[in-house]
Amino acid sequence: MFERLFYEPKDVLLQRLHTATLLAYCGSLAGLALVFSHPLYLLAVLAAGALGVTAAQAVAKWRFYLRLGLWTAGLMLLINAAASPGGATVILRAGPARVSLEALVYGAIVGMRLLGVLTAFCVASTTLHPDRLLGIFSRWAYRSSLVLSLATRSLPNVACELVRAREALQVRGVNLEGGSLRSRLDKAGWLLDVLLVSCLEGALETAEALQARGLGCGPRSHFRREVLRPRDASVLAGVGLSLTLSSYALLTGAAGYACYPRLAPLDHNDFWLPMAVLAGLSLPAILSWGWQYWPYLRSKI
């Protein structure tokens, strides 16, 4: 299950974008989810993130993030409803305890913000290649970038080795889940032994590869394969439009929402600006759809 959380190469447009473009896109999704407090704006960011997840073919991975986020959001909603003394619309009272509609809505808004941030991280973990991401910072701190790159690459390798070790033991007739606690601890120790040996062998192979490439033998040289293409300009234009509209909404107070002491009313004019933000952030998903099913567009971007 955990190996699905890491980067997997796929034939999707989002993985072919420039790393700086993907950073701007995913950073905008996460940043806007954090700064918005109006439910319509948060719904727009969450919907844009869901479209990005679909375009990246990462729905199965998103379900894992959603399960984690929904449990946490539900827990926060219950705690806020039970502990918050504010709110004028009381819907439940039991002795000194009271639950207000405003406290429930505020907890739901915080939960939506959490789901928006988790969705942005899901898109980032699916589309951003770890080596390309750290390669951007290698110009200024290449040693730190190298260490981080080796560390991030080791996590999916360890997860795959763990799966293979479990399968090998099960093929030999070992029931890893059965037996007493002492027996299960012994079997877990066998898995750790296999993982330790695999990690040491992997570390030796990595060291030999780095030595063969001349690490530490002179000044560092590099070349860049990534170039900015029309698809990057289109995505950056959509992200820039959304950030401009979001800044206007934040400066004018349209992106804020007051839950206490009473819920602020929603007007039909409040829908247009969030829809425009959603349209700008949805442009990568729309381009991805066209790139997949329209060969002419694929050849042009």
Side-chain angles (χ1 to χ4, degrees):
M1 176 181 65
F2 289 103
E3 63 271 15
R4 291 183 179 178
L5 299 180
F6 304 110
Y7 178 87
E8 293 176 308
K10 297 177 181 176
D11 187 22
V12 294
L13 175 66
L14 292 184
Q15 288 190 353
R16 294 171 179 263
L17 294 174
H18 195 281
T19 305
T21 306
L22 285 172
L23 272 178
Y25 172 54
C26 299
S28 299
L29 287 176
L32 293 179
L34 288 174
V35 298
F36 284 153
S37 58
H38 198 290
L40 293 180
Y41 287 84
L42 288 173
L43 276 176
V45 174
L46 187 57
L51 290 175
V53 167
T54 306
Q57 298 179 4
V59 177
K61 179 187 292 187
W62 191 40
R63 290 198 190 100
F64 176 83
Y65 282 88
L66 281 184
R67 281 198 295 270
L68 175 66
L70 286 175
W71 277 106
T72 309
L75 184 61
M76 289 192 300
L77 190 149
L78 292 177
I79 292 176
N80 185 71
S84 175
T89 310
V90 179
I91 59 176
L92 181 63
R93 187 185 295 275
R98 59 194 293 274
V99 176
S100 66
L101 176 64
E102 289 79 9
L104 287 175
V105 172
Y106 183 80
I109 290 175
V110 174
M112 287 168 56
R113 180 177 296 156
L114 173 65
L115 293 179
V117 173
L118 288 177
T119 302
F121 276 97
C122 178
V123 176
S125 66
T126 305
T127 57
L128 276 169
H129 193 289
D131 290 346
R132 288 166 56 189
L133 175 61
L134 295 172
I136 291 183
F137 305 102
S138 63
R139 180 180 298 179
W140 303 281
Y142 82 92
R143 293 183 186 278
S144 302
S145 300
L146 176 62
V147 172
L148 288 175
S149 177
L150 292 175
T152 53
R153 290 175 67 89
S154 67
L155 293 177
N157 292 333
V158 170
C160 293
E161 289 294 338
L162 179 61
V163 172
R164 283 196 286 265
R166 289 177 63 90
E167 291 176 349
L169 290 177
Q170 288 171 347
V171 167
R172 294 181 181 181
V174 178
N175 183 9
L176 296 173
E177 307 297 335
S180 61
L181 177 62
R182 182 180 178 84
S183 173
R184 281 181 287 176
L185 288 176
D186 291 339
K187 295 167 188 173
W190 299 347
L191 282 176
L192 289 178
D193 289 341
V194 175
L195 277 181
L196 179 61
V197 173
S198 300
C199 291
L200 289 176
E201 290 178 349
L204 286 175
E205 293 176 356
T206 303
E208 290 174 355
L210 292 175
Q211 188 179 23
R213 296 184 180 186
L215 179 69
C217 298
R220 176 174 173 266
S221 61
H222 68 280
F223 72 96
R224 296 192 180 278
R225 298 176 180 173
E226 289 189 294
V227 294
L228 286 171
R229 302 181 185 277
R231 54 197 180 213
D232 297 299
S234 302
V235 172
L236 288 175
V239 171
L241 173 65
S242 297
L243 291 179
T244 303
L245 295 175
S246 301
S247 301
Y248 171 77
L250 289 169
L251 291 175
T252 57
Y257 187 76
C259 293
Y260 299 103
R262 292 185 180 275
L263 297 178
L266 294 178
D267 189 71
H268 67 277
N269 292 323
D270 296 337
F271 287 85
W272 297 109
L273 206 50
M275 291 299 292
V277 174
L278 171 61
L281 292 177
S282 302
L283 191 58
I286 297 172
L287 280 178
S288 177
W289 179 83
W291 184 82
Q292 188 173 1
Y293 296 105
W294 193 7
Y296 177 78
L297 178 65
R298 183 168 184 153
S299 66
K300 293 298 180 183
I301 63 173

